[in-house]
Amino acid sequence: MITYQIETELSVKEFTEVLINSTLGERRPVSEPNRITKMLEHANLIITARDNGRLIGVSRSITDLVYCTYLSDLAIDVAYQKQGIGKQLIRLTKKETPLAKLILLSAPNAVNYYPKIGMTQWEQCYVLDDIEDLK
């Protein structure tokens, strides 16, 4: 039975495992536990999906609760994908921050998923990885 809940004490080990099992680990610092620790410490809304206690999905967000919610990680174990778990995690994230616009950057393989579930794609996103690139 899959259960969903807000969690404030998600372990680095569990979070790392679900990132790897979802393929999101390919784009996350899963070999750097100190960075993963900080990612969890500074997120202020983490909603999980568990199957009989085992973590199978996570929505990790940073939000001000009233204007914007940045859903930084939506990771679902590949063995559980295509069952509506990701959509439910998005729904629960939005439900916790109803006044805020929910924003996410899609993984390349998931670009076509989000419009199918009703999200709007925007082209106006910019990323800066290295401060030296700022002119």
Side-chain angles (χ1 to χ4, degrees), residues 14-101:
E14 275 190 308
F15 182 54
T16 301
E17 285 175 4
V18 81
L19 289 173
I20 292 168
N21 292 340
S22 72
T23 73
L24 198 56
E26 298 166 5
R27 290 168 301 286
R28 298 297 185 270
V30 294
S31 63
E32 300 176 55
N34 290 338
R35 284 183 74 188
I36 296 289
T37 298
K38 293 294 183 188
M39 289 167 65
L40 291 170
E41 284 177 2
H42 294 288
N44 59 344
L45 179 57
I46 297 174
I47 302 177
T48 60
R50 293 182 178 273
D51 184 5
N52 293 311
R54 179 177 171 261
L55 184 68
I56 58 156
V58 65
S59 166
R60 185 184 74 86
S61 302
I62 300 165
T63 183
D64 60 21
L65 304 174
V66 295
Y67 185 71
C68 66
T69 297
Y70 172 53
L71 200 170
S72 180
D73 297 308
L74 181 65
I76 313 303
D77 186 312
V78 292
Y80 289 85
Q81 290 179 6
K82 300 185 187 233
Q83 297 180 33
I85 296 166
K87 186 162 74 169
Q88 182 64 5
L89 287 169
I90 292 170
R91 178 179 282 115
L92 293 170
T93 299
K94 181 65 177 157
K95 189 175 177 183
E96 289 298 315
T97 62
L99 297 176
K101 183 179 295 286

Side-chain angles (χ1 to χ4, degrees), residues 84-134:
I85 296 166
K87 186 162 74 169
Q88 182 64 5
L89 287 169
I90 292 170
R91 178 179 282 115
L92 293 170
T93 299
K94 181 65 177 157
K95 189 175 177 183
E96 289 298 315
T97 62
L99 297 176
K101 183 179 295 286
L102 192 139
I103 303 161
L104 66 79
L105 298 175
S106 176
N109 291 339
V111 169
N112 295 321
Y113 168 72
Y114 297 106
K116 287 179 185 175
I117 64 166
M119 295 183 77
T120 304
Q121 185 174 9
W122 284 48
E123 295 180 22
Q124 300 88 345
C125 176
Y126 298 91
V127 176
L128 179 66
D129 285 326
D130 187 336
I131 196 167
E132 298 303 320
D133 293 337
L134 195 59

